[in-house]
Amino acid sequence: MGYPVILVTMTTAPLRKDAARNWHRIVEVGRRLVDEGTAIQLNDVARAAEVGVATVYRHFPTPEALLETVATPGLEALTAHAERALSGGDPWAELRDFLLAAVDAQVSDPALPPVFAAPVDALPRTTELKRGLTEMFGRLLDRAHAAGVADPAVTKADMLPLMCGVMFAANVHPAGGDRALTARRYLTVLLEGLRVR
């Protein structure tokens, strides 16, 4: 997965060629560690990326900053999906499809669940993306309420922990070991309870 050179954690100015190369190398190692389920330790990242420890800390002062950078493409993809959903014509289908995309993303990208669950963000960009997703999800739910297809008693404040419950259940009790299918099944049950016909 490629990352544009302008995506840096400490500055918005483009990086020099060698610094950009190091940044990409560090993020690639971070991505690999996350995919393997290995905790990010910046000294280990420096070794695996074949760069100095100071270089890693200059780009990513904490493991959380690197984790959030690894998660950023997934957050941006969900943001783009939410934006498209808000311009769609079927409030129920757009809400349902966005929530399905959200559970699929969290099952397929192990960087996303801890970033969503973190009470504090390391990077302003992460905060911006998470707030934007929450706000757009609220608008999608409001549209479904206004169209009379979602139970008006169920609020955004209700849905956020319920979505966390879906993901937790899929991780703890994956039917046949398939977390993705289980998450979609549990989400479908939740949506059946939300929907007004």
Side-chain angles (χ1 to χ4, degrees):
M1 182 180 296
Y3 298 88
V5 168
I6 57 169
L7 278 180
V8 296
T9 57
M10 304 303 288
T11 177
T12 56
L15 294 172
R16 293 188 330 267
K17 207 170 184 181
D18 59 334
R21 189 167 50 248
N22 289 338
W23 186 91
H24 284 287
R25 209 178 280 167
I26 294 163
V27 173
E28 284 169 3
V29 169
R31 174 83 265 173
R32 179 169 51 78
L33 292 174
V34 169
D35 289 344
E36 291 171 353
T38 303
I40 291 177
Q41 303 289 335
L42 295 183
N43 288 4
D44 295 340
V45 171
R47 228 178 349 265
E50 299 179 346
V51 298
V53 173
T55 299
V56 174
Y57 279 89
R58 189 161 52 249
H59 290 294
F60 305 101
T62 65
E64 291 77 18
L66 178 52
L67 175 64
E68 289 176 21
T69 301
V70 169
T72 294
L75 292 171
E76 290 175 339
L78 275 177
T79 299
H81 189 115
E83 289 167 347
R84 288 192 303 273
L86 283 168
S87 64
D90 183 332
W92 178 256
E94 302 301 345
L95 174 64
R96 179 201 61 213
D97 292 350
F98 171 71
L99 291 177
L100 285 168
V103 298
D104 287 347
Q106 290 186 75
V107 169
S108 62
D109 185 351
L112 289 176
V115 169
F116 276 127
V120 178
D121 302 320
L123 304 176
R125 177 66 174 152
T126 306
T127 302
E128 175 191 344
L129 288 166
K130 286 168 65 175
R131 280 184 183 158
L133 281 167
T134 301
E135 187 268 334
M136 285 188 282
F137 167 64
R139 287 166 60 195
L140 286 167
L141 184 59
D142 288 345
R143 288 178 68 210
H145 285 152
V149 293
D151 184 345
V154 180
T155 67
K156 180 176 76 172
D158 296 322
M159 286 296 292
L160 293 174
L162 287 170
M163 289 296 293
C164 291
V166 166
M167 294 311 304
F168 178 79
N171 286 325
V172 174
H173 302 289
D178 193 324
R179 291 167 56 239
L181 279 178
T182 304
R184 281 179 155 254
R185 179 170 170 267
Y186 290 157
L187 177 60
T188 299
V189 172
L190 171 60
L191 290 172
E192 285 301 305
L194 173 67
R195 189 171 189 180
V196 173
R197 290 180 175 81

